[in-house]
Structure formats: structure tokens, C-alpha cells
Amino acid sequence: MTDRKEFRDLASPAEAHDVVASLDVAPEPETVPLEECRGRVLAERVDAAIDVPGFDRASMDGYAVRARDTFGASERDPVVLPLTGVVHAGEEPAVDVSEGECVEISTGAVMPDGADAVVPVERTAEREEGDAIAFEAAVAPGDSVMAAGADVAAGERALGPGTELTPREIGLLSALGVDAVPVKGIPTVGVISTGDELVRPGGDLDHRAGQIHDVNSYAIAAAIEEAGGETVLYPHAGDDYEEMERQLRAAADECDLVLTSGSTSASAVDIVYRVVEERGELLLHGVAIKPGKPMLVGRLADAAYVGLPGYPVSALTIFRTFVAPAIRDAAGKPEPERATVEGRMATDERYGRGRTRLVPVGLVADETGDLVVYPVDKGSGATTSLVEADGVVEMDADTDYFAAGASVTVELFSPDVRPPSVLCIGEDDPAFARALDGVRNPRYLAEGTRSGFRRLRDGLPDVVVASGPGAPSEETTTLASWTREWGLVVPEGNPDGIEGLDDLLDADLTFVNRTTASGLRATLDAALDETDGGSERIRGYERTVRAHESPARRVRAGDADVGLGLRASAAKLDLGFVPLGEERVRVLANPERVAKAGVGELERALDGIAGVVTDLPGYDA
């Protein structure tokens, strides 16, 4: 039996920050062409080598003069000066301005010798068929003239190190004649996903073998780019020691920082830490934070190394909390603006395990515009937690309880995060999902009718989607309703000749059901009450799946003989269907929230529900 690697003493979050910060992940500076420098960060100061502008120039169209020649001029008593020439932009003046003369000049043109001011053309008038100009206003020396070096003077500090180069800075560099720019190098980050169960997106999955798509490689790669790094994605390493060692050594030779995901816990097959200990230096194994306890930090050759947990929520939490700041610092990128909001907890939240906990939470605005906060915690392995949450609430290691109604601070994932326009919770229904496409920034938590009613009691959702015989204990406002045909989904051709629920009783058939939260499950239970026997006589009755299409997919895969489902699902998947009845789907608004703009937008989208359900078999508005 293989010895299991136990976690060392868990580091505190502060200690983990210090260890990661001690790693050197900054590459050498480089020089890039001006046209390729947007978004890069200056590695050193840039001083002006020339004056900008390099000559005294007119700042508007008019006439170059000696200012003292215009003194006393007015509209009633203009000063008239002979016109002796013209100077255009981009040419060397071929004329001087002597006392008592003027020269026509264009915006940006070089000031001719002798002139010290420009009179705008609109303050003048032609005389003597254009051979003389009447000046109707006096000017002072320097008026309408940009002196040489007035923008930037030669030898002056133009831009400092650490400046991010936007179009504005690039414009200045262009004016200075800089064609190549010294910038900080972009940290190169190698990403290696481990685990024999992983398959890259696009590959075929064998669910029976426990295979899943590789989420972390792509999610972490995107997070690296967002932090200012450049990703090198290495082939999937599996759980083979020799292959893992080969991949890690290659990445350490080619990258500034190496990240792995998975194989960091105390399992007997988790071997990354062994490679790091044998080929480098392991500085940290485990941090007192949830999610994300199994974290590794070390060095491999000349590269820094961080091992992220395998579950996507844990991996991205650890990356965002500890790794992204190190990449930003190496790339010279500023820390992103932190945005926090205050809200009140919708429900009690308990925790007492002696670790700092970062609770993913969602937000919804109540009828007064105040924010209600609710946990979005389906576990570290649930990828939907990544998109259903708006930010995190930190629970200190010594805090084990947030009461419903308690005020909490939410750190948003970015300053751009906004609460959904409308929060809908309840039954999974394809017609409602289609109607929701007509609403901007909605959120739909398809947790089942019972969950929708329970959450309504907590005052959380704007809208509940319900089906089946149940009814909410709270007052609601009906926005829309329709019917859907339900029954038994069977293989194409109905090979077992099933005609109704009685055929499932005591039969050698495997049934797959919906969860107890589903209104469709309640509809089935009501129908079973009318049969001879009950649910205990149906083989697999307690085998449940969450979504409306899930039982049909189990039947199509051959994992079940019969499933509870909708005619629409059976038709979509080319399966047989035994109808058992119709149930009504209701869209119920919290009456205190009907004035919300998002609820109104949803109601308008639902006005066209007849058009939405026309091509859904078994649906009727």
C-alpha cells in the first residue's frame, strides 16, 4: 500500500502571500518597435532628445508681426501694415518680418525671423487689393505662438519607468522621434494540467470512465493573460511520474513561472510535490483557506512554481488571490481597482473549520435598490459557481456564522460587475429559458420549484418559475403561464411496450427520476398516488437527476430504461414518449419587485410566449 503524503502545517494566507511574493517571476526587459508597444510598460525613463516643437510655430492661421507694430489697433482705428510674403506649414520661411511689415502664416508654420506674434485672421481685413492688412486688435509678444520646446524641451523627463503605454503616451513618443521602446518583459507562464481523467475540450469523453473536460488549462490561461502574462499551454501530463517530471522540467527551462493544476492534495496518486521536492525546492504545501487548501509553492531550476488545486473554483480562487498579483508585479501592471459593495445576507451562512473562507456570492437588488447577498457555493468542482457569483465575502477563520440580514462587504470580481437585472429561481423549463433571451443581464437559477418557493420566503428572488401542484405560501403576481406535456421518456420505438405508470410497478426496468425540488417530480408523485402501489415498487425511483433533459439523456445513453421527462425533450433527442398528462408552468413575481426595470423587461418578453412555445412539442400557451 502506497504511503499517503500528509499536509504540512498549513500556512496562513498572509504567509502564503509572502512566499509567493518572494518568487522571482520577472523576465529581462526588452526593446520593442513603437508600433508594437501599446499596453506594454516602460522599463526605464525616457528623456526628450529634441525640443517639441523644435521651432517657434504659429498656433493658428493669421499674420506674423512684430507685436509692437499692432499696439493701439482697434476696430474703429485699425493699424494697416503692408503684406510682404507668406509662410506655409512644412517649409522654411523665405521672408523676414521687418519693422512695420506683416507676413501671412498658416497654423503650424515656422515663425519667420523678426516676428514675435500672430494676429488671427478673423481680427484682420484686407486693404489695397490684398497688398496690405488692417489689424483690428493689438497683440502681445508670444500671442498665438508655440515656442520651441513649449511641449517638451530637450533633456526633459518625458515618461517614467512603470508607465503603461496607451495611445496618449505613444503619441508623445512619436513626437519625440522614438521608434523603439524599452519595456518590461512579459512573464511567460507555463500551464500543465494533471490527472488521467482530463480530456481537452473538443475531445470525446468516456463518462463511464470518469472522464471530464480540462477546465483549468483554459480558464487559468485566460486569467494569466488578464493579469499581464503570456501563457504557454503544455500537453496534458496525466498522473505518470516520468511524464510529469519531463513536462515540469521543460516548462521550467522555457518559462518564468510554472503552474500546475491538480495533484496537489494528500492523495497517493498526487505526485507533483514529489517531483518538485526532488528536482527543485518546495517552499509551501497547504494554506489555511477555503477553497484552495492544497496549494504548492516552490522553485524548479530557474523558474518559480505554484501548484493550484484541481477543482476549478479552488484553482481560480488561489490564482486570483495569490498568483495574479505576482504576475502583475512582474509585468509592471498596476493592481486592478478594487470594488466593494455592502449588502445584507439573504440567509444564514455557517462555517467553523478554522480556515479563512472566501465565499462566492451573488447579488440582487431589492425593491429599494439595496443589495441582497446570497451564497453561490455548489462546491469547488462546480464550474457554474464561476459565473453565477458576482464576488466573494471573506469569512475570517475565527468567524463561524453570518446571520440572515447581517451586513457584509462583498469584494466584486471586477469594478464592471453589476447585479443581474432580474433574478429568477425555480423550475428548469426550456420555454422560460428562451423567453429570458429577450432580457438584458438576467440570472436564472434552475434549482426547482420547491427551492424557488423556499427562496421566496427568504425574500431573495424577483421571480419564481413554478410547475406542479405546489403553491407558494407568499403572495405573488403572475406574469405568464403555459402548459407542457409530461410523461415517460423511453428508447426510440418503445421496445418494452410501456403504456403508463402501472407498467413500471415491480418491473425489471430501471427508472431515472427528477430531484425532489422539481415541480415535475411533484406532478409524478401526485399521479402515483392514484396507482395500485407506490414509488417503492418502481426500480430506481430514488435515482434522481437535476435538469429537465437529464433523464432523457440517461435513457439515450442506455443508462436507464425509462425516465421522467417532457415530450419536448424526447422529441429533441429522438426518443420515444409515453404521455401521462399536462402540467402548468407559472412565472410568479415577488409583488414588491414588480416595479423593477428587469422584471418589466421580462414581462414584456413573456408577452410573446405564444410565439416562443410554438415549436416546442407538447407546449401550449
Side-chain angles (χ1 to χ4, degrees):
M1 184 174 180
T2 307
D3 291 337
R4 294 175 62 89
K5 178 75 173 181
E6 296 299 329
F7 282 112
R8 302 176 177 184
D9 292 337
L10 296 179
S12 70
E15 291 169 333
H17 275 295
D18 290 342
V19 172
V20 175
S22 72
L23 302 174
D24 182 11
V25 301
E28 291 297 318
E30 58 182 322
T31 299
V32 300
L34 183 66
E35 61 269 22
E36 298 176 10
C37 73
R38 185 183 67 81
R40 301 296 294 270
V41 176
L42 276 181
E44 59 188 61
R45 187 181 73 249
V46 174
D47 292 339
I50 60 173
D51 286 335
V52 179
F55 52 90
D56 293 346
R57 68 184 184 189
S59 57
M60 60 180 59
D61 292 342
Y63 297 91
V65 298
R66 297 188 179 200
R68 63 176 177 269
D69 289 338
T70 68
F71 291 170
S74 67
E75 290 185 12
R76 298 184 62 181
D77 186 17
V79 171
V80 179
L81 300 176
L83 179 64
T84 61
V86 60
V87 180
H88 297 295
E91 67 180 22
E92 183 178 351
V95 61
D96 295 340
V97 175
S98 299
E99 185 176 351
E101 296 177 347
C102 68
V103 168
E104 183 179 351
I105 194 166
S106 302
T107 301
V110 179
M111 290 290 289
D113 287 344
D116 61 8
V118 172
V119 180
V121 67
E122 58 268 22
R123 305 304 303 272
T124 66
E126 290 187 0
R127 295 285 178 88
E128 301 174 11
E129 298 182 351
D131 291 336
I133 303 298
F135 294 90
E136 299 172 345
V139 291
D143 282 0
S144 299
V145 176
M146 177 175 277
D151 193 354
V152 182
E156 187 177 2
R157 184 182 192 268
L159 295 170
T163 301
E164 184 170 356
L165 299 176
T166 73
R168 300 187 300 277
E169 288 77 21
I170 293 171
L172 175 56
L173 291 169
S174 301
L176 294 174
V178 175
D179 63 347
V181 187
V183 295
K184 289 195 173 186
I186 297 175
T188 304
V189 185
V191 176
I192 304 172
S193 282
T194 69
D196 289 331
E197 74 280 8
L198 298 182
V199 176
R200 288 279 168 88
D204 294 330
L205 290 182
D206 183 351
H207 293 292
R208 291 181 176 84
Q211 291 182 339
I212 58 174
H213 278 129
D214 179 5
V215 174
N216 287 352
S217 289
Y218 299 94
I220 292 169
I224 290 167
E225 304 287 338
E226 187 175 63
E230 180 178 310
T231 304
V232 179
L233 203 59
Y234 287 87
H236 173 230
D239 286 323
D240 179 79
Y241 181 92
E242 291 184 358
E243 176 63 13
M244 180 73 70
E245 182 183 21
R246 189 186 71 79
Q247 296 273 23
L248 284 171
R249 292 180 70 174
D253 288 341
E254 298 165 357
C255 301
D256 303 299
L257 170 64
V258 179
L259 299 179
T260 60
S261 66
S263 294
T264 58
S265 72
S267 167
V269 298
D270 290 345
I271 59 176
V272 170
Y273 68 83
R274 300 178 193 168
V275 178
V276 177
E277 283 189 324
E278 292 178 14
R279 302 296 175 183
E281 181 183 10
L282 188 61
L283 303 174
L284 179 150
H285 186 193
V287 59
I289 195 170
K290 178 182 173 63
K293 179 177 75 171
M295 173 190 180
L296 302 176
V297 181
R299 298 186 180 92
L300 278 169
D302 293 328
Y305 167 75
V306 176
L308 304 174
Y311 282 141
V313 173
S314 295
L316 284 176
T317 298
I318 289 295
F319 180 90
R320 177 176 177 269
T321 304
F322 299 103
V323 183
I327 295 175
R328 283 193 294 267
D329 183 64
K333 298 284 187 178
E335 282 293 311
E337 181 182 350
R338 291 186 61 186
T340 59
V341 295
E342 299 296 316
R344 57 180 171 82
M345 292 295 296
T347 58
D348 295 342
E349 182 68 8
R350 297 179 182 276
Y351 181 68
R353 298 185 183 176
R355 284 189 279 156
T356 298
R357 185 183 177 203
L358 303 177
V359 185
V361 296
L363 301 171
V364 63
D366 66 12
E367 60 277 5
T368 65
D370 293 334
L371 293 177
V372 179
V373 180
Y374 60 96
V376 180
D377 195 356
K378 299 180 180 179
S380 296
T383 55
T384 50
S385 295
L386 302 175
V387 295
E388 291 179 359
D390 298 304
V392 295
V393 170
E394 181 174 332
M395 294 185 73
D396 187 81
D398 297 328
T399 300
D400 59 8
Y401 181 75
F402 280 152
S407 178
V408 293
T409 299
V410 180
E411 182 178 344
L412 301 178
F413 288 135
S414 81
D416 299 327
V417 168
R418 297 292 182 273
S421 61
V422 58
L423 176 63
C424 310
I425 303 178
E427 195 71 11
D428 183 25
D429 183 75
F432 182 75
R434 290 186 182 189
L436 209 59
D437 290 343
V439 180
R440 289 169 295 179
N441 189 34
R443 182 168 296 154
Y444 179 24
L445 306 181
E447 299 177 352
T449 297
R450 287 179 59 183
S451 179
F453 290 163
R454 175 177 56 80
R455 298 255 201 169
L456 187 63
R457 290 197 299 272
D458 296 331
L460 179 60
D462 301 314
V463 170
V464 171
V465 184
S467 74
S473 57
E474 285 69 33
E475 182 182 350
T476 59
T477 300
T478 301
L479 301 183
S481 69
W482 54 88
T483 61
R484 61 185 189 180
E485 192 174 11
W486 71 279
L488 304 177
V489 180
V490 296
E492 186 178 12
N494 193 4
D496 296 305
I498 297 170
E499 296 180 356
L501 290 175
D502 288 337
D503 294 327
L504 303 184
L505 303 178
D506 303 319
D508 190 23
L509 298 170
T510 301
F511 181 72
V512 59
N513 205 349
R514 293 288 305 283
T515 64
T516 56
S518 167
L520 183 56
R521 165 71 172 266
T523 297
L524 170 65
D525 290 345
L528 281 172
D529 288 341
E530 301 176 7
T531 64
D532 262 343
S535 59
E536 66 277 2
R537 294 176 60 190
I538 298 177
R539 180 184 172 194
Y541 176 84
E542 299 300 333
R543 182 187 183 193
T544 63
V545 288
R546 187 182 65 83
H548 75 274
E549 214 169 86
S550 301
R553 290 189 174 274
R554 296 293 176 92
V555 171
R556 189 176 69 167
D559 295 333
D561 301 307
V562 189
L564 173 63
L566 307 176
R567 179 179 289 279
S569 301
K572 176 181 176 181
L573 300 174
D574 297 322
L575 296 169
F577 184 72
V578 179
L580 296 179
E582 291 184 340
E583 68 168 6
R584 181 159 292 277
V585 178
R586 294 152 287 153
V587 182
L588 309 173
N590 180 340
E592 295 182 346
R593 308 270 182 89
V594 292
K596 281 186 63 172
V599 175
E601 191 174 359
L602 173 61
E603 187 170 19
R604 289 190 291 275
L606 290 167
D607 286 343
I609 196 65
V612 171
V613 303
T614 50
D615 61 342
L616 283 172
Y619 272 72
D620 190 348

